Amino acid sequence: MGSQSVLYWSASPQQSVSVLVNGDVVENVPGIQNGFVFSDISGCRISGFGVKPGTTRQSLDNCTSLICSNTSVSSTSSSISCLVKGLCTVTGPTVIDFRGQMNSVSDRCEYTLLQDQSTGFTLKANFLERRRRDVSFVDSVTLAFSQGADIQLLQGHRVLVGGSPVTLSGSVQTFNGVCLSKDQTGVTANISLNGSPVSVFFDGTTAQIYIDVPVNVKGLCADSSSSSSSRLSSDSSCQQQYEDPADDTINITAVIEQCNILKSSPFSSCNAVVDPESYIIACRNTLNKYPAVDGLRCQFLKAYAKACQKRQATVQNWWTAAKCHHPEPICQDKCSDHEFCGDIHGNTDCRCRAIYASQYTEQNRLGGPTVCKDNTASLTLVGCLLKENGIDYNHLHLNDKTCTGVMDPESHMLKFSFSSDSCGTEVTTNNSQVIFTNAVVTRNSSSDLITRQDKVFIEFSCSHPAPELQNVAFKIIDNSVKVFLQSGEWHYNLTMKAYSDAAQTQLLGPNSDVRLNQKIWIVLETNGLDEEVVSVVTDSCWATSGNSPSSSPRYDLITDGCANAADGTVQVMGNGQGTSNSFSFNMFEFSGKEPSEVYLHCQLQLCVNKNNICEPGCSGPARRRRSLRYRRGTPALISMVWTP
């Protein structure tokens, strides 16, 4: 009758009837006096279970709620926690849960694999990318406790307890109630959850969790489809999705053959104990997108063999038949956070993770930009990029062979530094700039018969552009004018100060009286320039009655770096001889101007110290400006003002 079903039978009053679906009792019906029984057996059949309309029941493992509506429409939902036992395998991006169901992690976040709410224990796995940005791999496992230090199982068979490294061996060591041991294949942690033993194994590529006695837990190992509820990372950036170009070197037919070996000898001896299908699918899904490098093909085979071993069905000598390393090589040095252990030109070493490397490789660079500061420059190169390009950092130096890079042991970043007058730095000029250039090059010894190093030439530089036009005026309320000038990322200050004595000890301040015809001394000095490399030349100084340097009238004190010969009070000292100079003159005012403000303006330029040509030639009545003595181009301008 449509979705309705009725069962009719006769029985004595002493007899009762049980209604079963697939051997599972759904309803017990007692006998009745007249001996005839009608029973509504409408309902849902869900995963082999019978569920009466309008009721919900749990699956045997307590992981799934089986729901039957009043109109016999069936549905299921995942339970908060499951009663589980057996083996959970996490390898590459794939999680094969205790029930044998599988799902893949598509981002680079941290997830709960296992959580026991009664004890507060959580087993977490962190996923990160390797050679491709769009494929993630389990990268570390953390045993977290409500009380006591967390334990992290990391790449390279390394272990941290409470953030501090510990050294393990084959013998068992106990930390926070966890028994830890290490062999050539990986690290094992054994704990107890409410009396049930739990074993966690991690080798850097695969995590396997084995529970022999059922426990009530939640997480990806309980239900591999619960990724959204199991994600722990609060930073949404880990969920960003990437799509790298397809790898045209991947042979799909070969991938199928490589993964189907799990159905062949010697693995077939375990197939009846551990179903290989989930492992084969995980292998295919990953290798169809990610190249079979860094032992990835063997990683899935090893995970299956380890699962068989846990079920007492050891696969003998599988690595020989599958042509895999046993044990697989690991990186001897600790890889940094932006690296992973992989193959580089036939050697096992730390490679760059794809997302980190892309910020450099997309611009065809091996490191960051040049950092210029306080007459020094530095260039940082990425160690793993150097290795991947076949460059041994021990063979690199600057123009001066004694200037080599410093490798940071933690970050594996190689830093080269030089100052404006060291390490073979070349100083050149170009239009309005003074440029300091050096290069990272490969060591070249004429005594070497052969070399296995590619030639390297990485040039980097810093410059002092001619400063931008500045106009800073004051009205004797400050005793100096200070202008902050920026050239690239090298910074320096230009200061103009006025003194009332030749020794330059009496600084003119806000309350100082300056009388007409009183001699004053003006000092122009810089801070932040290397006087061994550059000099400051005061090109011209003039006075105006208005605040604009181009206003009229104008009275020249210094022209072409020399004192105005028509004004016998002007004297110029040290011009072009270092990073500061000075001049003096007798105070004056403009005739017929009320109020008679006097604005003093000076233009300065930078000059490269070569053959002492920075000093203007000002001697003799027929003095001429020496050509090319100092740099032309946009000068620095600084001003001050006096008000009577």
Side-chain angles (χ1 to χ4, degrees), residues 15 41 53 57 90 112 128 133 164 196 245-246 265 272 320 341 389 391 393 543 625 635:
Q15 289 180 314
I41 60 169
R57 63 169 294 175
V90 185
T112 297
L128 289 174
R133 298 178 300 174
S164 301
S196 299
S265 178
T320 302
C341 188
N389 284 274
I391 301 171
Y393 80 90
R625 182 176 185 176

Side-chain angles (χ1 to χ4, degrees), residues 395 397 401 442-451:
H395 292 260
H397 58 78
K401 294 182 179 180
T442 312
R443 185 175 66 223
N444 182 19
S445 175
S446 58
S447 61
D448 292 340
L449 180 62
I450 65 170
T451 180

Side-chain angles (χ1 to χ4, degrees), residues 541-566:
C541 289
W542 67 99
T544 62
S545 60
N547 62 356
S548 172
S550 59
S551 64
S552 297
R554 165 176 172 153
Y555 183 77
D556 290 315
L557 296 170
I558 299 175
T559 57
D560 289 339
C562 302
N564 181 0

Side-chain angles (χ1 to χ4, degrees), residues 189-494:
N190 290 306
I191 62 174
S192 177
L193 294 182
N194 293 320
S196 299
V198 177
S199 173
V200 179
F201 172 82
F202 185 61
D203 63 2
T205 60
T206 299
Q208 291 185 303
I209 302 92
Y210 185 73
I211 301 177
D212 193 35
V213 179
V215 292
N216 201 34
V217 295
K218 67 177 184 177
L220 288 180
C221 280
D223 181 5
S224 60
S225 65
S226 62
S227 58
S228 58
S229 61
S230 298
R231 186 183 295 114
L232 293 171
S233 304
S234 58
D235 184 2
S236 60
S237 64
C238 72
Q239 300 180 47
Q240 181 177 347
Q241 297 295 309
Y242 295 89
E243 187 174 349
D244 286 345
D247 190 332
D248 57 10
T249 66
I250 294 176
N251 186 323
I252 303 299
T253 302
V255 168
I256 294 174
E257 294 177 358
Q258 292 167 356
C259 297
N260 281 349
I261 192 176
L262 290 178
K263 293 182 179 179
S264 305
S265 178
F267 297 98
S268 56
S269 63
C270 176
N271 288 175
V273 180
V274 178
D275 187 351
E277 195 61 31
S278 294
Y279 293 85
I280 292 173
I281 295 173
C283 176
R284 288 179 182 174
N285 289 349
T286 304
L287 292 181
N288 281 343
K289 193 172 186 179
Y290 194 98
V293 292
D294 307 326
L296 182 58
R297 176 183 66 87
C298 296
Q299 171 182 323
F300 294 98
L301 309 184
K302 179 185 176 182
Y304 181 76
K306 190 76 175 179
C308 293
Q309 182 183 356
K310 281 293 184 182
R311 299 291 180 84
Q312 310 302 316
T314 302
V315 180
Q316 299 292 336
N317 297 323
W318 65 268
W319 54 88
T320 302
K323 298 180 181 180
C324 296
H325 290 289
H326 182 72
E328 69 278 7
I330 62 174
C331 293
Q332 297 302 317
D333 295 330
K334 171 187 173 185
C335 295
S336 64
D337 291 341
H338 61 264
E339 298 173 330
F340 69 95
C341 188
D343 178 82
I344 301 180
H345 308 303
N347 299 310
T348 301
D349 212 331
C350 297
R351 294 186 63 95
C352 292
R353 296 190 186 277
I355 295 176
Y356 177 83
S358 63
Q359 62 183 308
Y360 304 105
T361 55
E362 288 177 355
Q363 300 181 37
N364 196 29
R365 293 191 287 114
L366 294 175
T370 307
V371 177
C372 306
K373 184 177 181 181
D374 298 334
N375 288 319
T376 63
S378 63
L379 177 70
T380 301
L381 303 179
V382 182
C384 52
L385 287 179
L386 293 176
K387 292 177 183 178
E388 291 174 21
N389 284 274
I391 301 171
D392 184 348
Y393 80 90
N394 293 298
H395 292 260
L396 301 178
H397 58 78
L398 297 180
N399 287 338
D400 184 339
K401 294 182 179 180
T402 62
C403 295
T404 56
V406 178
M407 177 66 75
D408 187 297
E410 296 295 325
S411 66
H412 296 168
M413 304 295 280
L414 182 66
K415 185 175 182 179
F416 289 90
S417 300
F418 72 87
S419 62
S420 54
D421 61 348
S422 68
C423 294
T425 303
E426 298 178 358
V427 183
T428 58
T429 58
N430 179 22
N431 295 328
S432 60
Q433 291 185 321
V434 181
I435 303 171
F436 303 82
T437 305
N438 214 311
V440 177
V441 296
T442 312
R443 185 175 66 223
N444 182 19
S445 175
S446 58
S447 61
D448 292 340
L449 180 62
I450 65 170
T451 180
R452 292 187 172 91
Q453 298 299 313
D454 289 333
K455 291 183 178 180
V456 176
F457 182 82
I458 305 172
E459 188 175 72
F460 60 114
S461 62
C462 291
S463 63
H464 281 306
E468 296 179 359
L469 190 67
Q470 304 287 338
N471 187 355
V472 180
F474 75 106
K475 297 187 177 183
I476 281 289
I477 57 172
D478 289 318
N479 55 12
S480 66
V481 175
K482 186 176 185 179
V483 180
F484 179 74
L485 301 173
Q486 178 174 334
S487 297
E489 291 191 13
W490 266 340
H491 311 298
Y492 58 95
N493 298 321
L494 172 61

Side-chain angles (χ1 to χ4, degrees), residues 130-170:
R130 294 189 178 177
R131 295 192 186 212
R132 291 179 62 93
R133 298 178 300 174
D134 53 357
V135 180
S136 298
F137 294 82
V138 58
D139 193 71
S140 64
V141 174
T142 301
L143 290 77
F145 304 88
S146 57
Q147 295 181 340
D150 292 350
I151 297 175
Q152 292 176 276
L153 310 183
L154 307 175
Q155 297 288 306
H157 301 177
R158 294 181 295 116
V159 178
L160 300 181
V161 177
S164 301
V166 297
T167 302
L168 298 178
S169 60

